Each structure stands twice: as structure tokens, then as C-alpha cells.
Amino acid sequence: MKVKKVGIVSLSSGIMGEEFVKHELEIGINRLREYGVEVEFLPHALKGFEYIKNNPQKRAEDLIAAFKDDSIDMILCAIGGEDTYRLIPYLFENDELQKVAKQKIFLGFSDTTMNHFMLNKVGIKTFYGQAFLPDVCELSDEMLPYTKHYFEELINTGTIKEIRPSDVWYQERTDFSENGVGVSMKSYPNKGFELLNGEPVFEGQILGGCLESIFDFFDNSHFEDTVEVCNKYNLFPSLEEWKNKILLLETSQERPAPDVFRKMIKTLQEFGIFDVISGLLVGKPQDEVYYEEYKAILLEEIANKKLSIVYNVNIGHATPRCIIPFGVDARVDAEQQIIRFS
């Protein structure tokens, strides 16, 4: 199924509506149009930082409208942010999301992790790993080739069949101004998938996302009510529901210090998730910061010594990015360096 129309939503940060990203926006819109894709910004998507921050209900309305509109084949998130959990009551209090949810492509990452869990709750299969501003609006002369490969596969076929590691990884940009337009990113050779523990081949449906966003399900240190709000609507699956699933974790651009990373992994260990899942996929840390430290912590803190752990997947906050389908059967083969989806 080829995507004919993309609906772009700002469910987290409202940065897309700010004047200083107009040059990025133009690049992204032109790229989508070159694919023959019609682009629609949902009513509140371009209203800027303050409006989006102060009106979670309007963000929720945009998501509902995007599902209701049958002409929109793909819902594309602008970018991540930090407070997407605030949409939960407006989507679940009266089953608002359940009433409109139907299977269509939903793509986003970072704080959008929360939206993936919301959609998982109502039975929608989603796609994790890219977003409009960070990927489609890439300032280089074209999208990063590895990123582009998966984005094109998704918009041309409606699915992702398999992912393999990227040959390179990129040092992140520091200048997103107009001065950065056409400037290439510095690249380095990439190691490929690393099997840290367990059997190299494992299967299951994948769910997960940004580790810091997942930690918010268990801890109120970021916002004072995340745990309460998420628990009220049973957003995080029970251990029973996690059985035989594959957990995906990746760290944000904040590059959590090793002690913070350890605290987050310990929290998931205490919840019991590592005893029931069939395997763990871990994304490459941005700029490979704390690359070895994170590996050591995973091996120290996860008590299940049989759990298959595959590290250095090109997903999430490190560039380039693949796209991982959630809610479909996946087969990971670390020896063959491939993850297949059916």
C-alpha cells in the first residue's frame, strides 16, 4: 500500500511551529511532495511551543482527527518532546481513542513512545524510529541514505520487511540554523548488532521505545503525576502481556549518565520484565557516548542470565535510523545481522 497522504501532528513539542525552523519545514514538505505524497498539518500542529505545551487537549484532538480522516494513510509525528503523557486523559477517559482508532501507519520516536503505548492499548500496530523534523527535514542535500531507505520502504509499501545494521553512524549536528543547510554530517564506521548475552536467534512481537519515557511509567521525578496518570489507564502492559515479547530500549539525546542509566534498568529489573520477555534490543547511544558503560550495566543489572540481549541497533536518537514495526512477529538473528518481520 503506497502512502498517498501524510497527516503531520505535534503530539509532544510544538517546535515545528516556530519561525526558526521554517527552513527545515520547507525542506521536509518538498521531500514528501517529491514522493508524490500529499501533506496535511493537523489543525494545531503548527501553533508553536507555548500553545502546544499549554493545550494537551488540542494535541489529543489532532490525533483523533488524523484517525478519523480516511484520506490520511500515515500519521507522522513532528518530533518528540517531554510531556506526551498529558494527552492520556483526553484519549482514554471516555474511550475517545478506542472509538476512532483504525489500522493506519503511525510513525514517531522519543517521547512519542507514550503514544505508541497508547495505540498498543487500543490494538493498533505502529512504527517506531523516525519523525518528520529530525529525519525527513534533514539539512543534508538528501535524507541520510540508511534513514531514507526505510522511510521509502514504509511510504511505498506500508510495511518494513527486515532491518540490517547501518555501515556508518553520524556525529550529531549542533547547528540546525540555515547555515547548516547542505552541510553533511561526519560519519564513522559502525560495528553492527552486538550480541551481549543469550542465544543469537529469538522471536516475538516488539514493543518499547525511549528508556527515559518508559521510566516515567515508574517514576515521578520528571513530572509529579506520570505514574498516577499512566496507572489509572493501565497504559504499561502487565507482566502477563509482556510474556514472549521483545523489549526495545534506546536512550535520548540527554545521554543519561551511567548511574542514571543503571537506576532505570534496575527499575525495569524490579518490575520483572526481564524474566518474561523473549529478548532485549538496545539502540545505539547517541554519538556512542557511554557505549561501553551501558553494555556493562545491562550485563550487571539484568538477573536473567539466559536473556538474549542485542545491542547497537540503529534506532532512536542516534543517526542514522531504521524503522521498527511494533505488534508484528519479529525474528532476530544476531549472527546473520538481520531482524525480519512477518
Side-chain angles (χ1 to χ4, degrees):
M1 180 206 81
K2 188 174 184 338
V3 169
K4 296 187 179 70
K5 183 175 177 181
V6 168
I8 301 179
V9 290
S10 294
L11 303 179
S12 281
S13 164
I15 191 173
M16 185 171 68
E18 296 297 326
E19 189 68 29
F20 62 82
V21 298
K22 273 231 164 100
H23 58 288
E24 293 181 74
L25 214 60
E26 272 177 41
I27 290 169
I29 292 167
N30 288 336
R31 282 191 182 135
L32 288 175
R33 287 182 177 153
E34 281 167 15
Y35 287 123
V37 171
E38 189 184 338
V39 181
E40 179 183 329
F41 292 93
L42 273 291
H44 307 96
L46 293 170
K47 296 235 169 142
F49 269 136
E50 280 307 305
Y51 184 90
I52 291 293
K53 182 182 175 185
N54 295 326
N55 291 279
Q57 184 174 0
K58 298 300 182 187
R59 292 183 253 164
E61 283 174 14
D62 279 0
L63 182 60
I64 287 167
F67 272 108
K68 274 178 145 172
D69 185 342
D70 288 333
S71 72
I72 292 174
D73 323 290
M74 175 177 182
I75 303 169
L76 179 59
C77 293
I79 196 167
E82 62 170 14
D83 70 344
T84 313
Y85 83 97
R86 293 172 63 209
L87 277 61
I88 295 170
Y90 305 108
L91 295 171
F92 287 93
E93 190 54 46
N94 296 300
D95 293 330
E96 292 90 343
L97 186 58
Q98 180 80 61
K99 286 169 187 165
V100 300
K102 54 178 86 92
Q103 198 55 55
K104 58 173 77 180
I105 298 168
F106 176 91
L107 178 63
F109 75 104
S110 191
D111 189 44
T112 304
T113 296
M114 282 283 178
N115 301 119
H116 286 280
F117 277 89
M118 294 175 202
L119 291 165
N120 175 70
K121 180 83 182 160
V122 296
I124 300 296
K125 298 167 183 174
T126 58
F127 294 88
Y128 189 89
Q130 296 182 11
F132 179 61
L133 272 176
D135 295 296
V136 184
C137 304
E138 163 57 40
L139 294 178
S140 302
D141 288 333
E142 60 173 3
M143 286 175 71
L144 302 176
Y146 179 86
T147 303
K148 183 182 182 184
H149 167 83
Y150 292 102
F151 186 77
E152 286 181 349
E153 181 180 356
L154 186 59
I155 62 168
N156 287 324
T157 70
T159 189
I160 300 288
K161 279 292 178 201
E162 60 181 47
I163 61 168
R164 296 174 187 269
S166 172
D167 294 334
V168 298
W169 63 272
Y170 299 93
Q171 188 170 349
E172 295 303 314
R173 285 185 188 281
T174 52
D175 182 4
F176 289 89
S177 72
E178 289 187 59
N179 298 331
V181 176
V183 176
S184 298
M185 296 165 76
K186 189 175 180 185
S187 66
Y188 302 87
N190 183 45
K191 289 199 252 305
F193 302 156
E194 271 196 76
L195 181 68
L196 301 190
N197 197 57
E199 295 296 321
V201 179
F202 53 97
E203 297 179 351
Q205 295 187 354
I206 302 173
L207 183 63
C210 180
L211 177 57
E212 290 96 317
S213 294
I214 289 172
F215 186 58
D216 284 344
F217 283 110
F218 300 92
D219 183 90
N220 281 332
S221 54
H222 194 184
F223 290 100
E224 63 183 16
D225 60 344
T226 47
V227 176
E228 179 192 346
V229 171
C230 295
N231 283 348
K232 181 177 178 183
Y233 301 98
N234 296 316
L235 207 59
F236 197 74
S238 66
L239 284 180
E240 186 61 34
E241 291 168 300
W242 277 108
K243 268 186 187 164
N244 302 318
K245 274 193 165 59
I246 296 169
L247 174 63
L248 169 68
L249 298 176
E250 55 92 11
T251 44
S252 79
Q253 75 284 356
E254 290 173 7
R255 304 168 183 181
D259 62 327
V260 177
F261 184 82
R262 187 183 297 275
K263 182 182 175 185
M264 293 189 285
I265 296 299
K266 263 186 163 171
T267 298
L268 289 173
Q269 168 64 34
E270 286 160 12
F271 176 67
I273 200 165
F274 300 124
D275 296 322
V276 299
I277 56 174
S278 65
L280 175 63
L281 297 175
V282 185
K284 175 188 281 295
Q286 197 180 73
D287 284 348
E288 290 201 343
V289 174
Y290 302 127
Y291 187 94
E292 295 299 331
E293 290 90 333
Y294 289 173
K295 270 167 52 173
I297 290 165
L298 290 164
L299 290 172
E300 287 162 15
E301 296 299 339
I302 295 175
N304 179 4
K305 297 310 175 191
K306 290 182 178 172
L307 182 67
S308 295
I309 304 174
V310 172
Y311 190 74
N312 197 42
V313 181
N314 300 105
I315 191 77
H317 288 79
T319 43
R321 293 181 257 269
C322 68
I323 294 172
I324 289 183
F326 285 170
V328 300
D329 293 333
R331 179 182 169 86
V332 179
D333 189 328
E335 279 175 358
Q336 297 294 319
Q337 295 280 295
I338 189 165
I339 304 173
R340 288 193 172 90
F341 306 99
S342 55

Coordinates of all heavy atoms in Angstrom, one line a residue, residues 94 136 207 225 290:
N94 N -13.1 8.7 28.1 CA -14.4 8.2 27.5 C -14.2 7.4 26.3 O -14.9 7.4 25.3 CB -15.3 9.4 27.2 CG -15.7 10.2 28.4 OD1 -16.3 9.6 29.3 ND2 -15.3 11.5 28.5
V136 N 12.9 13.5 7.9 CA 12.5 14.0 6.6 C 13.1 15.4 6.3 O 13.4 15.7 5.2 CB 11.0 14.0 6.5 CG1 10.5 14.4 5.1 CG2 10.4 12.6 6.8
L207 N 7.9 -4.2 21.3 CA 7.3 -3.0 21.9 C 8.3 -2.4 22.8 O 9.2 -3.0 23.4 CB 6.1 -3.4 22.8 CG 5.3 -2.3 23.4 CD1 4.7 -1.4 22.3 CD2 4.1 -2.8 24.3
D225 N 3.1 13.5 38.2 CA 1.9 12.7 38.2 C 2.0 11.6 37.1 O 0.9 11.0 36.8 CB 0.7 13.6 38.0 CG 0.7 14.4 36.7 OD1 1.8 14.5 36.1 OD2 -0.3 14.9 36.3
Y290 N 29.0 6.8 26.4 CA 28.7 5.8 27.4 C 28.4 4.4 26.7 O 27.8 3.6 27.3 CB 27.6 6.1 28.3 CG 27.8 7.4 29.0 CD1 26.8 8.4 29.0 CD2 28.9 7.7 29.8 CE1 26.9 9.6 29.7 CE2 29.1 8.9 30.5 CZ 28.1 9.8 30.4 OH 28.3 11.0 31.1

